């Protein structure tokens, strides 16, 4: 490289051919120095000594505006001047390339040279030449150079050399800008490729997840389709077991369902020995399954819930072989277990079911429990309908019996009304009887009585003795109470026993006429004949008191008195006061 110190007297000492050769060599060296791949700022930094050396310039500076960033490089400037253009370099660029101007296109450099530049306030003192470059797309450069070391201005050949160097810089900057654009594009493409790879990976994972979900949904759909037309719990157990074995690839399996009471058990099995089902429905099998619920403690499934049995020891404790097992609980106290054995893959490790298979198993069992619960509800409804039908039959029988009884009652009511009407007619007819009819009836009665007495030694009284006997002695109820209290009289209730039990005078002796001899001999035979006997008891048709009083008088009792008004008069006196 040619340095400014090597050429102070070159322009004056070289001949025309040598000088052109020197300028061409300088252009070649500048092209070689700027041909290496570099950033625009690095090219600007490398250009200043390449341009200043061949021309013997005292200082130089360059301002580059690229992609919104400003780069300032200087060589030979005093530090204060360099700091000044670091602060105002952007304004200097905008003087040559205004912001509101139309977008510039790459063009040849513009060179300003002359002594007038040395006094421009926008440029460093002594500036001899200014170059303005535009690479288009917002990339601009402004370069300034000081006077020659020899103190003479630049001649025409040197100005052309400077123009050539500026063109080389312009091409280099264009290439660097293009390279940066290519690098930015490559970086953007690489980033987009990475994004596409990530998106592709996510898409692949989403596709796999979608495939799994599709498989699960298909399995759920097919299982539901197989069980939808089955309404009997045993059929549902068998259909679900077959579907579950096919979906999860097992060759054997069983399902046991236990009700809230003993003896209520159902079980199905596939691919296992026939005795397995007998074991499942036995009390031993029931106890073994229910014991697993107890062993779960906090994880025991509640109503309409299921859980996998992950512990191998717990699975071994089930009543039948199970490489995978589920415990489930329906409502109304129904509990059960599902066991799957002998996988087609031949593996029997603890992680036989992956997470997807476990989720699918949970979903299938949940669907199974809903279907089974509906079937049990349907069974319950059938039982209730049967009970209602039986009750309806009983009610119909009762209704028929009531209808028949009502008909009989209606018949009897009509018969009663007929009899009442007949009696009323007879009564009316009796009331219409004449005195001649009465006389004939009395005469007929007397004739029948005489004939009976003639044929029977005991005979009967044609006239009641009470009508012939003297009237009994009466006593007021108040006097009778006083006499019973003072003279210790005995009160005799002459009414039948039924009337006596309905109500009587306190301490009265029930002496009905039909039991007269028996009661008298038991209670009154030892009584002093002088003790007063107060007798009561009569109604509208019978005078029990008079008949009993007469018999007592015949037995020798001296004071037999009838209480006037009987029990009603006695009760009308009120409660007896204490003496």
């Amino acid at each position: 490289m040619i340095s400014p110190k090597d050429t102070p007297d070159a322009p004056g000492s070289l001949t025309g051919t040598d000088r052109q050769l020197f300028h061409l060599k300088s252009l070649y060296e500048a092209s070689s120095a700027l041909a290496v791949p570099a950033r625009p700022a690095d090219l600007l930094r490398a250009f200043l000594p390449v341009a200043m050396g061949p021309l013997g310039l005292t200082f130089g500076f360059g301002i580059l505006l690229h992609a919104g960033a400003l780069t300032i490089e200087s060589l030979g400037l005093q530090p204060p001047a360099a700091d000044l253009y670091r602060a105002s370099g952007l304004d200097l660029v905008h003087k040559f390339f205004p912001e509101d101007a139309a977008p510039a296109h790459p063009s040849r450099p513009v060179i300003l040279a002359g002594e007038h530049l040395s006094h421009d306030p926008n440029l460093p003192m002594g500036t001899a030449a200014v170059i303005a470059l535009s690479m288009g797309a917002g990339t601009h450069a402004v370069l300034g150079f000081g006077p020659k070391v020899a103190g003479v201005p630049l001649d025409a050949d040197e100005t052309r050399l400077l123009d050539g160097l500026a063109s080389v810089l312009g091409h280099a900057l264009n290439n660097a800008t293009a390279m940066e654009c290519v690098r930015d594009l490559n970086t953007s493409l690489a980033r987009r490729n990475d994004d596409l790879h990530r998106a592709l990976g996510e898409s692949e994972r989403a596709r796999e997840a979608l495939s799994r979900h599709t498989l699960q949904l298909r399995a759920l759909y097919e299982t539901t389709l197989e069980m939808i037309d089955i309404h009997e719990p045993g059929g549902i157990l068998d259909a679900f077991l077959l579907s579950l074995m096919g979906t999860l690839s097992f060759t054997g399996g069983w399902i046991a369902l236990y009700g809230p009471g003993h003896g209520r058990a159902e079980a199905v099995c596939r691919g296992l020995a026939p005795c397995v089902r007998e074991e499942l429905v036995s009390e031993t099998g029931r106890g073994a399954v229910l014991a697993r619920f107890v062993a779960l403690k906090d994880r025991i499934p509640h109503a309409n819930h299921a859980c996998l049995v992950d512990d191998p020891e717990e699975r071994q404790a089930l009543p039948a072989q199970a490489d995978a097992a589920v415990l489930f609980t329906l409502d109304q106290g129904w509990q059960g277990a599902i066991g799957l054995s002998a996988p087609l893959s031949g593996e029997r490790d603890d992680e036989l079911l992956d997470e997807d298979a476990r989720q699918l198993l949970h979903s299938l069992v949940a669907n199974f429990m809903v279907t089974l619960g509906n079937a049990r509800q349907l069974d319950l409804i059938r039982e209730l309908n049967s009970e209602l039908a039986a009750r309806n039959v009983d009610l119909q029988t009762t209704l028929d019996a009531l209808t028949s009884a009502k008909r009989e009652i209606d018949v009897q009511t009509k018969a009663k009304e007929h009899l009442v009407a007949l009696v009323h007619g007879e009564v009316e007819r009796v009331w219409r009887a004449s005195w001649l009819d009465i006389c004939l009836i009395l005469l007929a009665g007397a004739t029948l009585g005489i004939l009976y007495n003639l044929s029977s030694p005991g005979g009967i009284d044609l006239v009641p003795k009470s009508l012939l006997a003297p009237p009994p002695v009466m006593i007021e109820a108040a006097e009778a109470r006083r006499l019973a209290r003072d003279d210790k009289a005995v009160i005799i209730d002459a009414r039948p026993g039924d009337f006596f039990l309905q109500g009587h005078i306190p301490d009265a002796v029930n002496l009905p006429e039909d039991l007269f001899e028996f009661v008298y001999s038991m209670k009154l035979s030892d009584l002093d004949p002088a003790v007063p006997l107060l007798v009561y008891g009569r109604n509208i048709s019978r005078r029990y008191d008079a008949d009993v009083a007469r018999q007592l008088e015949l037995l020798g009792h001296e004071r037999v008195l009838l209480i006037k008004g009987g029990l009603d008069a006695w009760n009308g006196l009120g409660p007896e006061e204490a003496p």
Side-chain angles (χ1 to χ4, degrees), residues 59 61-63 72 77 80-96 112 116-130 142-145:
F59 68 83
F61 66 91
I63 304 171
I72 297 176
L77 274 180
D83 296 337
L84 175 64
Y85 285 95
R86 287 190 179 89
S88 60
L90 184 61
D91 295 336
L92 183 59
V93 173
H94 286 164
K95 286 184 179 297
F96 288 93
L112 300 176
H116 65 281
L117 296 176
S118 62
H119 303 291
D120 191 325
N122 297 313
L123 299 172
M125 182 64 70
T127 299
V130 174
V142 175
L143 296 99
F145 296 97

Side-chain angles (χ1 to χ4, degrees), residues 30 92 167 214 288 291 296 329 350 352 372 430 438 440 446 467 534 560:
L92 183 59
S167 296
T214 302
L296 289 177
T329 299
D350 295 340
L352 186 60
L372 188 59
V430 170
I438 297 173
L440 290 176
L467 295 178
L534 306 177
V560 180

